[in-house]
Amino acid sequence: MSETSTTTEVASQYAAQVAADLESNAKEQERIGAEVATLQERLTALQHDHNVLVNIQQALAGATSVSAAESTVVPSPSKEVAAEPAGGKRTRTKKDAAKKAPATDAAPKTAATKSSAPTLVDLVRRHLATQHEPRSAAEVSSAVNQAHPERATRTTVVRNTLEGLVAKQQAQRTKQGSSVYYTAISAQEPSAASEPGTEAS
């Protein structure tokens, strides 16, 4: 009888210990789960801020490249004008003009190709404007790559561009479940758009 009672007491002690361990394990899971949820929210906010900052950086880089291209195109006509009256001999001026002609012709062509090529922001904005339903970043990226295969634009870059349009209030972001969709915001106030032009003039 004594052995049976001792076994029963040991079993009850183990059962109590296991129950206490289970309870502490469940509480620890709840605590860690809450911390993970908080960290996930912070990560999502940081990722959103990163996307916005990357898009602003790309916009600033694009503006810098455009101004640099304009500054390189401007000096070429002045060189041609200075070379024409400076020639004292007709044979030398003709040769100089013939030598400089390919270089001056090439400069406007490269400038024309740079200025005529639309930016990724323009392509994404135009595509959204033609759509009647919200589109995801992957769908917009696929459409841009089909229309312009030479660009080979990644979906992450297109997503950053879309976030930039949202930040500029040129597009609207909607979330359906775990997916994010974008739609273009049409400018419905032409008078407000014309006022800055008149003030600038």
Side-chain angles (χ1 to χ4, degrees), residues 64-79 107-108 110-111 114:
T64 304
S65 61
V66 170
S67 61
E70 292 176 354
S71 63
T72 54
V73 172
V74 171
S76 58
S78 61
K79 290 181 180 179
T110 55
K114 289 182 181 179

Side-chain angles (χ1 to χ4, degrees), residues 82-102:
E84 289 177 358
K89 297 180 181 180
R90 295 179 181 177
T91 56
R92 290 185 180 178
T93 54
K94 289 181 180 179
K95 289 180 181 179
D96 293 339
K99 290 180 181 178
K100 293 181 179 178

Side-chain angles (χ1 to χ4, degrees), residues 6-22:
T6 302
T7 304
T8 304
E9 290 177 1
V10 171
S12 62
Q13 289 178 359
Y14 277 118
Q17 183 65 36
V18 169
D21 291 343
L22 284 174

Side-chain angles (χ1 to χ4, degrees), residues 45-89:
L46 289 173
Q47 288 176 342
H48 177 266
D49 293 343
H50 179 269
N51 292 337
V52 173
L53 291 173
V54 167
N55 186 74
I56 294 174
Q57 185 183 45
Q58 290 177 349
L60 292 175
T64 304
S65 61
V66 170
S67 61
E70 292 176 354
S71 63
T72 54
V73 172
V74 171
S76 58
S78 61
K79 290 181 180 179
E80 292 178 359
V81 174
E84 289 177 358
K89 297 180 181 180

